[in-house]
Amino acid sequence: MITNLLLVEDNPVNVEYIRALLLNIENDSLEQNRFIGNIFVALTLKEGIETLNSKNIDIVLLDLTLPDSHGLKTFQVVQNVNDRVPIIVLTGDDDTALAFDAIHQGAQDYLVKGKINKTLLQRSIHYAVERMNILKALLDSQERYSIALKATNDGIWEWNLREKKMYFSPRWKEIIGYAENELGSEPLEWFDRIHPEDVPEVEGIIADHISGQTRNLVSEHRLLHRNGTYLWVRVHGLAVLDKEGSVKKIAGALSDITGEKLIDSLTGLPNISLFSDRLQSAIQRRIDEKDFGFVLIKLEFEQVKIITTTYGAAATNEAIYSVVTRIKTCLKASDTIGRFEGASFGIILAGVHDILNLNHILDNIQIHASKPFLLNGNSISISTSMGIVFSGDQYKISEEMIRDADAALQKAMSNGRSNREVFESEMRDRSLRILKMEADMRHAIERDEFFLLYQPVLNVEKKKIDSLEALIRWKKKDGSVLGPGGFIPIAEQSDMIIRIGAWVIEESILQLQRWKKQGLDDISVAINLSARQFLNRDIVGYIKKTLSISGIHPDRFQVEVTESVAMRDIELTKKILQDLHESGVSVSLDDFGTGHSSLSYLKQFPISKLKIDQSFIRELPDDLESAAITSAMITLGQAIHLKIVVEGVETMEQLKFVEKENADYVQGYLISRPMESEKISEFIQKFDYACYSKD
């Protein structure tokens, strides 16, 4: 029994969640032995130290980021107060490296907030206390060490460095499949069984501990089982010194964590490693039994990134868990569902041979996945796209099927949300082309292959050019030039869009600096933000920082976001637009008329311009329907005090029409095609509006 547990955590939501889990464990244990006696909560490090000094604490759950302390220092302070109390570190998804540093300095374990469940918490506490008891017994007396050895479920080991011999407990041997009277006492009985890829890291960890660089020896590595498979094990150890301060032996515990490594901690589903093993078994059965068929589905939960940006990682985990729980009700016991990473999952449907049999199952999955649920008081729904592969003689290994399912999924997602595609061989070729293009894009920034063209925008009232739209192009090694439509959609599927977007921001602001030095300081530049850029929580800060460093006033810089992107998440859009507005950067809503925005939302968005899509301009002025729609949109925008930019003006007749309708700005080939930055200054100086106003 743990008499007193100390939870040091400043977030009230996390406190109540962990307290509820602990009480839930307590209720499960009442009929046997009480698991925890008292739970003490401290909101600051200072309060935690006071509790640790005044109470007989058995274990500490410690958040490393507190109001009065941050990082590894938080752990070190608690450990210095009482180094014999086991500490479990609480960390976020982004701080696991910091948690490992704490473990190497003596923490018994770490838990990722947002992924903690009752089973994981109970197991972590149980083994942390067990391991600390073993290490304390080792330091105190051989007799107490023997008692602790018998009580633990871990495998105990002791390495006499001087005699170069090792003791392995019966449980240690049992974990890797051997009997008590098997295995010798040579260190190679252990080290020769370590997976070759893990050997260098294990050797480094041991060397660091012997040299005194780490307080505790902690390692997670793969160990060969008697049956020929590898187990994942976690090793904790402690060096024992002689009177001269030299290490004479190291002793500790080894536990089998294969289950943890193969099971996703959030959903309890097989992770990609275990899922791949089960897929391989299904492939082998298909090879052995020709009448056996199955289907592999790779599915992606959409809107997850938006949920993370809006509500945080914990809410995202809650959403994923909720959707997975519902999908599981659509599957048979013989089916397998596993989590690959993030919002990507795989499903193996056994006994399915054709699309007709499959469609009902897929419909059911998508319907259940998309049912709304409450998240932070808001109704949220998640759409699901799928890539589908039927088993066949061409598949021999699981990686091939997963590769083709991913190709089908990418094709489905490129067509919008809630889509599904059955794999065809052409998709593999497309995937290879995409992979090559992604690799080429990564080198394109280093090789300066991207460049910007600038298209002038006419201010109708002032009869002058006072703004430009920056348009990216890619000049490839073979000399061909790609417009954004040729590579931006692919960049959107990877992190390249963030890097390319950052380059566009920096380059356009640098160009404003160059023009300013040339005396052209009253011109502004607008850039286009893609969906991933716009919904990135760091975008506003990055723009502000770049402008501040450059010395360019924010009113010289504009951003454009399409109507469809703005409408993806209304609340997040409002927040980002408000932040941009407050920073002095104006925003235009691009491609207006092609999306689904309403007047009520437009009034809520702090934008300055509407850009009417060129599709409405092409048939002007002859097409009466296009003329009526364009006129209505101009009137609508100006009624809510927005400036109107008409795109795609290519004829004098179109210019006269939009002038008559009192549009504020005009952009199109009639005014100018996009041009190199070197030509802009001369073009603006020589621009004569009178040339466009002649009858």
Side-chain angles (χ1 to χ4, degrees), residues 264 266-267 300-301 304 316-317 320 339-345:
D264 177 59
L266 172 64
T267 62
E300 182 88 13
F301 298 159
V304 166
T316 300
N317 290 335
I320 289 174
R339 188 181 187 189
F340 288 1
E341 60 177 354
S344 295
F345 291 78

Side-chain angles (χ1 to χ4, degrees), residues 346-388:
I347 297 176
I348 303 169
L349 298 177
V352 178
H353 299 267
D354 57 67
I355 193 69
L356 294 176
N357 192 17
L358 180 64
N359 274 334
H360 173 71
I361 301 171
L362 300 185
D363 288 341
N364 204 23
I365 290 173
Q366 287 185 313
I367 289 169
H368 277 71
S370 63
K371 286 181 180 177
F373 59 93
L374 283 178
L375 190 63
N376 289 3
N378 298 306
S379 179
I380 302 291
S381 103
I382 289 180
S383 55
T384 306
S385 285
M386 304 178 181
I388 303 149

Side-chain angles (χ1 to χ4, degrees), residues 654-668:
Q654 290 170 348
L655 175 61
K656 289 177 181 177
F657 176 85
V658 297
E659 278 184 316
K660 180 183 175 183
E661 297 297 325
N662 296 316
D664 301 288
Y665 297 91
V666 170
Q667 181 178 353

Side-chain angles (χ1 to χ4, degrees), residues 437-450 474-476 496 499-500 503:
M437 182 168 281
E438 283 184 358
D440 290 344
M441 278 191 284
R442 293 183 190 280
H443 295 301
I445 293 179
E446 301 162 10
R447 297 171 181 158
D448 291 325
E449 293 177 359
F450 291 120
W474 179 8
K475 187 173 184 179
K476 304 187 74 177
M496 279 308 301
R499 292 180 61 190
I500 292 172
W503 179 86

